[in-house]
Amino acid sequence: MLEGKVTWSGGMRFEGVAGSGGRLAFDYPADKGGRGDVPSPMEATLLALGGCTGMDVISILKKMREPVTGLEIRVSAERAEEHPRVFKSFVIEYVVKGEGLKESNVRKAVNLSKDKYCSVSAMLTRGAEVEYRISIVDEA
């Protein structure tokens, strides 16, 4: 079982501690009563999506012995106008760097993450439109 604790620390800021000991702060932008120096809960959710799928893709590419040297995941989302302002659609763009990467293996790694392994993606994208983009930067 996963566990965590989130504690209000004033204004609109909350500090979270995961069962693993990892820490994460949440706040709103200044125009909503926060300081805006850490992600909002919805921004943190988007970042979790990028982190989850990124860990999968790197792990899969390494198992394929692909010479990956860098990975950047750019995530964006549209939210509903009415409360609760859930995510309606996502764009997830993978920028994969390496010398001589096989495009078919990069696509396979992304597809395995989205279809099988990334639990954050499975939760968030259910019922939402998702566009996946892949760019490969050959560092030869």
Side-chain angles (χ1 to χ4, degrees):
M1 173 183 294
L2 293 176
E3 296 180 345
K5 178 176 73 171
V6 179
T7 305
W8 179 49
S9 58
M12 293 302 291
R13 189 180 191 93
F14 286 79
E15 306 284 339
V17 181
S20 66
R23 297 179 173 277
L24 182 61
F26 306 96
D27 202 352
Y28 274 152
D31 65 344
K32 293 185 178 178
R35 293 193 316 234
D37 60 341
V38 295
S40 72
M42 292 301 275
E43 288 171 327
T45 302
L46 265 186
L47 296 176
L49 170 60
C52 179
T53 189
M55 289 176 187
D56 292 341
V57 170
I58 286 293
S59 175
I60 293 164
L61 289 175
K62 285 184 177 229
K63 286 177 185 168
M64 293 176 168
R65 299 191 187 321
E66 284 291 334
V68 62
T69 59
L71 175 60
E72 181 177 297
I73 298 103
R74 301 172 184 159
V75 289
S76 59
E78 294 264 339
R79 293 180 64 188
E81 294 295 322
E82 302 295 320
H83 290 282
R85 298 195 56 223
V86 298
F87 292 126
K88 295 185 342 182
S89 64
F90 296 88
V91 175
I92 306 169
E93 181 179 0
Y94 301 81
V95 180
V96 188
K97 296 178 181 178
E99 185 175 338
L101 292 168
K102 291 182 188 161
E103 183 178 349
S104 61
N105 281 347
V106 172
R107 290 196 179 284
K108 183 175 183 178
V110 168
N111 286 333
L112 282 168
S113 177
K114 86 177 170 72
D115 296 335
K116 185 172 183 179
Y117 293 114
C118 181
S119 52
V120 176
S121 176
M123 285 189 306
L124 292 178
T125 62
R126 192 171 287 164
E129 294 179 31
V130 185
E131 179 182 343
Y132 293 89
R133 299 177 186 163
I134 299 172
S135 301
I136 297 174
V137 178
D138 194 334
E139 295 185 319

